[in-house]
């Protein structure tokens, strides 16, 4: 089959996109259920890099559990002394979290513990952390599927 000159760039772009998606280290647009942990995200204003790691991966259903969080500034230095508020829910279902998770511990090196997380059903969840400290106030949203 031959393609005229007007279709060749589109064909090449499609083949290139498929080839690039198969490279080692390529990330899928939508992670599968429970995929994507631990995960590192940049906060909305770029003030903090946040790595989240549930104590069990994937996070369990219908069981209280905790997450470990490591926060650094953009240069990689630990962000100690933060107040972290936790919110979230299932955006597609228009409901929040069934519990009131909170930061319960801070250790050295920008390490924090979040306790009281619970997810009651499969689907797309979103956890939002509000970080407030000497480096400023910022938020990070963590979407994931269970």
């Amino acid at each position: 089959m031959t393609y005229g000159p007007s279709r060749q760039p589109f064909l090449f772009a499609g083949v290139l996109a498929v080839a690039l998606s198969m490279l080692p280290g390529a990330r899928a647009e939508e992670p599968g259920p429970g995929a994507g942990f631990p995960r590192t995200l940049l906060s909305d204003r770029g003030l903090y890099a946040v790595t989240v790691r549930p104590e069990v991966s994937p996070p369990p259903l219908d069981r209280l559990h905790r997450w470990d969080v490591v926060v650094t500034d953009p240069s990689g230095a630990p962000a100690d002394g933060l107040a972290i508020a936790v919110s979230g829910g299932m955006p597609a279902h228009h409901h929040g979290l069934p519990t009131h998770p909170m930061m319960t511990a801070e250790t050295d090196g920008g390490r924090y513990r979040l306790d009281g997380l619970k997810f009651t059903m499969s689907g797309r969840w979103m956890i939002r952390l509000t970080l407030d400290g000497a480096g400023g106030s910022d938020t990070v949203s963590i979407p994931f599927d269970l």
Side-chain angles (χ1 to χ4, degrees):
M1 175 181 269
T2 52
Y3 292 98
S6 64
R7 290 189 177 173
Q8 286 176 345
F10 297 107
L11 179 63
F12 177 75
V15 171
L16 181 62
V18 170
L20 288 174
S21 71
M22 291 192 263
L23 288 174
R27 294 181 50 186
E29 287 296 315
E30 292 292 327
F37 290 104
R39 183 182 296 174
T40 301
L41 299 155
L42 193 60
S43 60
D44 294 343
R45 294 179 42 219
L47 300 179
Y48 304 104
V50 179
T51 301
V52 295
R53 180 188 310 265
E55 71 176 336
V56 176
S57 187
L61 286 175
D62 290 322
R63 192 175 107 210
L64 285 171
H65 63 283
R66 73 174 42 122
W67 285 17
D68 293 317
V69 178
V70 178
V71 185
T72 65
D73 68 15
S75 73
D80 292 320
L82 294 175
I84 300 177
V86 184
S87 62
M90 292 188 87
H93 291 243
H94 306 290
H95 68 75
L97 295 171
T99 59
H100 299 285
M102 63 179 59
M103 182 184 82
T104 58
E106 175 187 359
T107 60
D108 62 341
R111 297 180 186 281
Y112 301 87
R113 178 181 300 144
L114 306 178
D115 278 301
L117 288 142
K118 184 177 182 181
F119 307 111
T120 54
M121 65 177 69
S122 298
R124 170 59 55 114
W125 287 87
M126 175 80 70
I127 295 295
R128 181 168 288 113
L129 304 179
T130 301
L131 311 148
D132 192 19
S137 183
D138 208 347
T139 60
V140 63
S141 298
I142 306 139
F144 59 97
D145 293 325
L146 289 181

